[in-house]
Amino acid sequence: MKIRTKVTLWYTALLAVLLAAVLAFLLRVGGKLALSGSESVLRSVTEEMAGEVELENGAVETDDDFRSTSRGVFIAVFYQSKLAAGQVPEDLGRLPDFAAGTLRTAGAYLVYDLAGEDGLAVRGFFARESTAESQRGITLAALAAAPVLLLIAALGGLAITGRAFRPIEEIARTAAQIGAGRDLSRRIELPDTRDEVSALGGAFNGMMDRLERSFAAEKQFSSDVSHELRTPVAVIQSQCEYALAGGAEGDVRRALLEIRSRTGEMAVLIARLLELSRAENRTAEVVLEPVELSELAETVTEELAPQAEQKRITLRLCAPEPVTVRGEQTLILRLMLNLAGNAVRYTPEGGEVTLSVSGGKDGAVLAVRDNGIGIPQEHLDKIFNRFYRVDASRHRDGDGGSFGLGLALCKWIADVHGASISVRSAPGRGSEFTVKFPAWPPDGASPGDSGGNGA
Ligand code: ADP
């Protein structure tokens, strides 16, 4: 469960409990207060009116200030058990027995009896309904207001925590994208809240600035170094040829041959390194156009046929129909050549290598499968790193083309195409490299709608 949901649930539940407690308290205390209020009104009105009544010559006289109803209280004056002044509420029902000085309930009324002089009886009646009604009104209002209050509190809290957590969600998303090998130039957009979360986002952006700079410097460094090494290596090579042509003999000749072979390897390494760093440095310029994968796979199979034939490896192509992706042809060709070249290189004589291309609604899939030496599990997540080789003993001495740079380039090519590259392998059984390209053209669009822009 998300933190914001947990926090919102927690304080909404707490608020609900608090509201219920306050409401219960109000109802209890409020009910009592309302009752004692009604009782004191009944008492005071009855006592006041009793003062306005007197008996004169056997007849009941009332002063001008006498009222038969006042502040909700009905006043009835009895003389010799007969109603002599005021009124009894019509809905009272049976008149309760007279009990001077007591306050009690009778049906729907509170009754207060006072004994006047010479057999006069003054009785006050106050409708209990009016007390209960005002109380019910308060209860209903509180019951209606409570859910609204809870809803406002919950929505307000969700909105505030949502805003506060948005940068964190974005940090997670950005970090995941960077982790997936995408764009190092991505930053988090920071709301101007100056709180802890925006400080975290700021720190993250700062870290990304430094990372991006150091990655760029590292790329530039390998590009510069390989560029600078090209000339001296070429000079060594030509001097070596010159010395050999001059007719060197014996140990000197052997040494020169060794130097020529090693500088040859060095020249290939430098060329590969330069290719990779140039590729990585030109991310912004990659132009994506419709590319036909099956045709490229056919070209690659033809190109590798002599190499495969030499090792008596059966090279198969399984690309039954045209499959189009958005990409740069030379880069995709390089990717296929690297994968298929590795498959041929790491498969012993008599083995099989299959290139397959298939298309579907979810995108195109290129798979290169072999039944060669395979890759142990613990190396699988590292083989796409630069200079990573599973183990040196797999490589024949003088295997000039093996520097652990091929798959790094493949990974980069897959990334700029928005494709994913993965591998499944078992030592002694073989390997399968799979590249999944995003669907193209996007649903509903015609191939002419899109394409052309950089990755
Ligand atoms: P290299 O130039 O050394 O082949 P790569 O980057 O292409 O460099 O490959 C890295 C490592 O992954 C290789 O050294 C090799 O051990 C292993 N590898 C790559 N492809 C295969 C394959 N099809 N079968 C077995 N091992 C492979």
Side-chain angles (χ1 to χ4, degrees):
M1 199 191 279
K2 285 185 173 178
I3 295 179
R4 58 187 289 220
T5 321
K6 278 191 214 164
V7 169
T8 310
L9 276 180
W10 160 247
Y11 74 74
T12 312
L14 195 70
L15 193 64
V17 171
L18 262 172
L19 274 179
V22 169
L23 201 65
F25 178 78
L26 271 183
L27 286 181
R28 245 187 108 77
V29 175
K32 279 195 179 143
L33 276 179
L35 189 66
S36 72
S38 322
E39 285 174 1
S40 73
V41 168
L42 175 60
R43 258 184 236 276
S44 72
V45 171
T46 313
E47 275 158 15
E48 190 189 326
M49 291 307 153
E52 309 293 339
V53 183
E54 56 193 2
L55 201 62
E56 234 178 85
N57 304 327
V60 173
E61 293 279 330
T62 55
D63 287 353
D64 291 347
D65 290 338
F66 181 83
R67 301 274 177 280
S68 56
T69 56
S70 167
R71 289 155 70 194
V73 179
F74 293 84
I75 298 294
V77 181
F78 291 86
Y79 182 56
Q80 291 178 342
S81 305
K82 281 205 190 78
L83 184 65
Q87 69 175 101
V88 174
E90 280 166 14
D91 54 346
L92 176 68
R94 205 183 71 80
L95 203 60
D97 292 340
F98 184 78
T102 61
L103 197 152
R104 60 210 186 278
T105 55
Y109 285 87
L110 284 172
V111 182
Y112 184 52
D113 290 344
L114 276 180
E117 49 193 54
D118 308 319
L120 270 180
V122 181
R123 315 190 73 176
F125 305 90
F126 189 85
R128 283 161 63 202
E129 187 59 22
S130 54
T131 316
E133 218 162 70
S134 57
Q135 206 186 331
R136 203 175 308 134
I138 294 169
T139 316
L140 280 179
L143 280 180
V148 176
L149 197 71
L150 284 179
L151 196 70
I152 291 173
L155 290 181
L158 274 180
I160 292 171
T161 46
R163 261 177 72 100
F165 276 110
R166 207 167 303 138
I168 293 190
E169 282 166 11
E170 219 186 296
I171 291 176
R173 225 185 350 262
T174 311
Q177 278 168 356
I178 293 164
R182 299 268 154 76
D183 192 358
L184 268 188
S185 64
R186 281 201 50 142
R187 295 293 176 275
I188 298 159
E189 272 176 43
L190 293 172
D192 189 21
T193 48
R194 292 182 199 182
D195 55 12
E196 299 87 330
V197 177
S198 76
L200 173 67
F204 183 87
N205 281 349
M207 183 188 77
M208 288 312 302
D209 286 342
R210 286 190 295 281
L211 262 183
E212 192 186 12
R213 276 200 298 274
S214 70
F215 268 91
E218 192 232 64
K219 278 182 198 162
Q220 192 57 45
F221 175 76
S222 43
S223 164
D224 291 348
V225 166
S226 33
H227 191 78
E228 291 302 320
L229 282 177
R230 262 198 331 185
T231 317
V233 166
V235 172
I236 296 173
Q237 270 181 316
S238 65
Q239 290 299 314
C240 209
E241 296 293 349
Y242 179 71
L244 280 168
E249 301 274 335
D251 282 353
V252 176
R253 184 175 175 78
R254 266 195 297 283
L256 283 173
L257 285 172
E258 178 70 13
I259 292 174
R260 187 174 68 175
S261 139
R262 295 294 172 174
T263 36
E265 279 176 31
M266 223 150 95
V268 175
L269 168 61
I270 289 166
R272 292 276 167 83
L273 204 54
L274 207 55
E275 180 188 24
L276 182 62
S277 41
R278 279 194 178 148
E280 287 179 344
N281 283 334
R282 54 160 229 156
T283 307
E285 300 154 27
V286 176
V287 175
L288 303 181
E289 293 165 330
V291 172
E292 222 286 279
L293 279 190
S294 303
E295 269 174 23
L296 291 188
E298 205 178 321
T299 312
V300 169
T301 331
E302 280 163 15
E303 199 151 316
L304 287 176
Q307 224 172 307
E309 209 167 298
Q310 214 177 17
K311 286 178 82 177
R312 289 189 292 108
I313 285 175
T314 317
L315 190 56
R316 286 209 183 88
L317 173 67
C318 175
E321 52 188 15
V323 175
T324 310
V325 296
R326 235 163 80 89
E328 190 178 302
Q329 180 149 330
T330 47
L331 290 180
I332 296 182
L333 196 63
R334 189 97 204 89
L335 168 92
M336 286 186 177
L337 268 173
N338 278 3
L339 293 180
N342 275 352
V344 171
R345 182 188 297 168
Y346 298 110
T347 298
E349 295 211 350
E352 274 179 21
V353 170
T354 310
L355 246 86
S356 48
V357 174
S358 58
K361 181 154 101 301
D362 299 332
V365 178
L366 160 76
V368 180
R369 196 171 59 244
D370 64 61
N371 61 355
I373 58 175
I375 304 163
Q377 199 67 27
E378 66 270 24
H379 297 282
L380 285 181
D381 57 340
K382 298 188 222 80
I383 53 170
F384 295 101
N385 297 348
R386 287 165 168 219
F387 292 111
Y388 193 86
R389 297 195 299 178
V390 171
D391 92 59
S393 66
R394 299 166 143 226
H395 305 279
R396 281 172 287 126
D397 206 20
D399 183 359
S402 178
F403 301 106
L405 288 175
L407 289 180
L409 185 65
C410 291
K411 171 86 174 77
W412 175 82
I413 294 174
D415 284 347
V416 294
H417 286 85
S420 67
I421 184 166
S422 59
V423 56
R424 284 191 315 152
S425 188
R429 304 251 298 275
S431 317
E432 179 170 28
F433 285 82
T434 311
V435 186
K436 289 194 178 120
F437 289 88
W440 195 84
D443 282 345
S446 76
D449 287 352
S450 161
N453 251 330

